[in-house]
Structure formats: C-alpha cells, structure tokens
Amino acid sequence: MYTQSFNVPDSAGLKSVPQAPSTENLEFQARFDSKVDADGKIEPQDWMPDAYRKTLVRQISQHAHSEIVGMLPEGNWISRAPSLKRKAILIAKVQDEGGHGLYLYSAAETLGTSRDQMLEGLHSGKAKYSSIFNYPTLNWADVGVVGWLVDGAAIMNQIPLCRCSYGPYARAMIRVCKEESFHQRQGYEALLVMMQGTAEQKAMVQDAVNRWWWKCLAMFGPPDADSPHSAQAMRWGIKRISNDDLRQKFVDATVPQAKVLGVTLPDPDLKWNEERQHHDYGQIDWDEFWATVNGSGPCNKERLATRVKAHNDGQWVRDAALAYSRKQQTHATKEAA
Ligand SMILES: [Fe+2]
Ligand SMILES: [Fe+2]
C-alpha cells in the first residue's frame, strides 16, 4: 500500500530542498532533464541531482515503512478470521505487504541508503509511514473495508508510480500494483458476502465504512494548494497526478461500488455534479489528519512498539544468517587454498 505520507516531511534528517546545480554539474543536469522530459528512466548508476535522490529516498523508504506497518492492523485478525478460506486469503495478503516492503527497501538501497539507516529512522519515530495504519481494525468488516477502500486508494496512488522516472521504483510498483488489485477485490468480495448476511453483519459493514471513509480520502495527502513539494516531484516525473485529482478519481470510482454493495458513504455533501462531470464531496478534517501524522492517532505508539519488538525479536535470525554466511565463506576460502 500506501502513499499519503509521501507529501509529509520526516521529522528530522532527510529533507528535499531543490537546489540549483553547480556549474560543473550543468552538463549532467541537462542530460538528466532531457531524459526525464522524454519520459526515460533514471537508473542507479546515472547522475542525478542530490535533491532528486533525497526525495526518492524519503518517498520510497516511507512507502516501504507503510507496507511493513500496514501488515499490523490486518495481521491482528489472522487468528480470528471467520473461516479457513478467509484466513488463507488474509495470510497471503499480509505476506504480500511484507514482500512489497522488501522490494521497496531494495529499491531505496540502490540510491545509496542502507536498510539499517531506514529501519533506524522508522524505529526512532523520525521517519513517517502512512497514517492510515494508526487507526484500529475493530471488527471483521474492517478487514474487508481495508481491502476495498485502503488498498483501493493505494492502487489509485500507485498506478501512476509505475511510470515514475526512477527505474527501480517504477519496476517495483508494476509488481506491487498487480498484487494490490487482488487485495482490493478480495476485500470487496468479503463485504459483498457480509452484505448478503444478517442485519448485524450488514450493520458491521456500514459501521466500518463510516469509520474508514474520510480517513481514506485523507490518504491522498493535503490539498494541492498545501503541497509545496508536489510541483517539483511532478517536474521530476516522480509524481504524475496531483493529490486532489487522485482523490477525485477515487471518489468517482468508489461511489458506484458502494451502491452495488448497498452501503452509504458517510458524507451528506456527496453528490454528482453534472457540470464538472465529477462527484462533489464534503470537507476533510485536516486537523485530525495532522494530529495523527504527528503522533496523536489512536494506535501510533502501539504500531511503533510492535514493529520495534518484532525487529528485536528477529535479531537471532539475522545473527544466524550472518554466522552461516561467514561459515560458508570460510569453507570456500579453505577449499580454494
Ligand atoms: Fe502493499
Ligand atoms: Fe495491499
């Protein structure tokens, strides 16, 4: 998943500040610009402006963190899935998210940052991840709604990233998007089944939609007018579609899906605008969004503590892998001697 935090600066450390190129770099800069303008791909060995590299490291590492932290709200339901089929699907989905994190950490490493540096940023609270995961999954319908709406919003955000100017990121996103599409559909299908069930099941679905709808709209990031880095990211071919345009696409795509499902989207201002040929929608609570991004959401502390504990508990696995690799090297050296 998930991309809201892409427009959110980390608390400290990496900052993207576009800088004028020095004289000696002008030629490299011109080559870089023309490649980006021609929709070519920038590869790890190519020269790139420092600010482009820093922006990508920040964006890709935040994206990787979001995938890994995103495993937690749903992982919480694996032991309580209502059937073997739902359990198997959920295990596969949560595992996919772990895989997405790994591709993305690898893509960020090609820019000269290390896995340890990135994880240190996450574990110390300096690096951001998508704030959507700082909300709890309260009942089984939340698992379906996370698939339908959270993964659905993620796909909307991530499809344009398949055309990102940085090659390793774009290629990772092609594979990720294929899996996200499955995530979205399994969530929607789980909800369709619940909506054919008892009155209580239907009420659970509606309740989950009510709690997640506005948070999913906020996932696209602050309005364009409040996104100072967006123009530069567009210029660099990292970002292709603005936050507000993506949000509008998501609303327009989701309204008919909600109708088929039989749920109400919790927005009295949501209506078709014939003139714009889009849906109008109400005001997003940005104060709540920023409070959660900045650490005051209901699950921020729990999510971070769970991640840090999982990392520490896995130390023996890393130690064992390292010891094994050293042993293999020693054998190889002895055999060669
Ligand atoms: Fe994912
Ligand atoms: Fe996903």
Side-chain angles (χ1 to χ4, degrees):
M1 304 181 189
Y2 315 141
T3 47
Q4 144 270 307
S5 50
F6 289 171
N7 295 297
V8 178
D10 284 339
S11 303
L14 292 164
K15 291 275 184 292
S16 91
V17 185
Q19 287 163 344
S22 64
T23 325
E24 63 268 27
N25 283 344
L26 278 177
E27 197 188 316
F28 291 133
Q29 178 77 45
R31 211 176 298 160
F32 171 87
D33 287 342
S34 63
K35 206 175 216 183
V36 167
D37 289 345
D39 270 348
K41 290 277 177 275
I42 306 298
E43 296 298 337
Q45 67 277 15
D46 295 338
W47 183 92
M48 62 188 85
D50 199 36
Y52 175 84
R53 185 186 298 274
K54 282 184 177 165
T55 296
L56 278 169
V57 167
R58 190 189 61 171
Q59 173 164 334
I60 302 172
S61 61
Q62 285 188 0
H63 193 164
H65 299 330
S66 303
E67 301 284 353
I68 301 289
V69 177
M71 297 167 76
L72 302 176
E74 288 174 294
N76 197 29
W77 279 91
I78 290 173
S79 61
R80 290 175 287 165
S83 68
L84 184 57
K85 176 184 154 185
R86 296 291 169 202
K87 190 196 280 271
I89 294 171
L90 188 56
I91 289 172
K93 180 191 191 280
V94 171
Q95 186 173 280
D96 281 355
E97 305 300 4
H100 297 171
L102 296 182
Y103 306 149
L104 290 162
Y105 284 126
S106 298
E109 282 176 318
T110 66
L111 290 156
T113 182
S114 74
R115 186 84 52 114
D116 284 347
Q117 267 175 304
M118 290 186 272
L119 289 179
E120 203 282 319
L122 174 66
H123 296 159
S124 65
K126 271 187 248 156
K128 301 291 185 201
Y129 55 84
S130 182
S131 226
I132 195 79
F133 304 119
N134 288 319
Y135 296 100
T137 41
L138 300 180
N139 70 45
W140 174 252
D142 287 46
V143 173
V145 169
V146 167
W148 174 38
L149 296 179
V150 176
D151 288 272
I155 293 169
M156 212 50 106
N157 252 320
Q158 291 181 175
I159 282 175
L161 290 172
C162 298
R163 294 186 292 121
C164 167
S165 59
Y166 189 58
Y169 193 26
R171 290 189 287 274
M173 292 319 298
I174 291 169
R175 185 159 171 185
V176 167
C177 281
K178 285 184 183 155
E179 293 178 351
E180 294 301 351
S181 161
F182 161 78
H183 297 171
Q184 198 260 356
R185 281 178 287 158
Q186 65 81 33
Y188 192 68
E189 193 268 341
L191 297 176
L192 276 173
V193 171
M194 286 185 83
M195 289 303 285
Q196 286 154 16
T198 62
E200 197 184 359
Q201 284 176 303
K202 289 179 196 171
M204 277 166 73
V205 175
Q206 184 63 60
D207 170 60
V209 169
N210 292 348
R211 284 181 286 107
W212 288 95
W213 173 248
W214 288 104
K215 292 164 181 49
C216 289
L217 292 193
M219 273 176 74
F220 293 92
D224 295 343
D226 302 330
S227 301
H229 297 307
S230 281
Q232 180 63 74
M234 292 251 200
R235 172 71 189 82
W236 277 329
I238 296 174
K239 195 174 172 66
R240 300 283 182 180
I241 307 178
S242 81
N243 294 356
D244 286 333
D245 287 349
L246 284 170
R247 191 166 12 246
Q248 183 71 62
K249 272 165 85 84
F250 176 72
V251 172
D252 290 342
T254 308
V255 167
Q257 294 169 3
K259 206 170 167 192
V260 170
L261 195 55
V263 293
T264 309
L265 297 172
D267 178 0
D269 297 323
L270 186 66
K271 59 175 182 302
W272 179 250
N273 182 322
E274 192 58 40
E275 202 177 311
R276 289 201 311 122
Q277 290 291 300
H278 288 295
H279 291 87
D280 291 336
Y281 54 91
Q283 282 296 318
I284 294 166
D285 183 348
W286 291 111
D287 289 343
E288 196 228 326
F289 169 81
W290 284 115
T292 306
V293 168
N294 291 322
S296 306
C299 301
N300 296 54
K301 285 196 180 71
E302 182 191 327
R303 299 289 185 239
L304 212 53
T306 308
R307 272 316 316 157
V308 170
K309 182 176 183 305
H311 186 73
N312 293 341
D313 288 352
Q315 185 61 50
W316 71 271
V317 179
R318 294 188 293 279
D319 289 346
L322 210 59
Y324 181 73
S325 135
R326 280 194 191 122
K327 213 161 130 187
Q328 294 297 97
Q329 268 170 9
T330 314
H331 284 320
T333 319
K334 270 186 193 159
E335 268 169 34

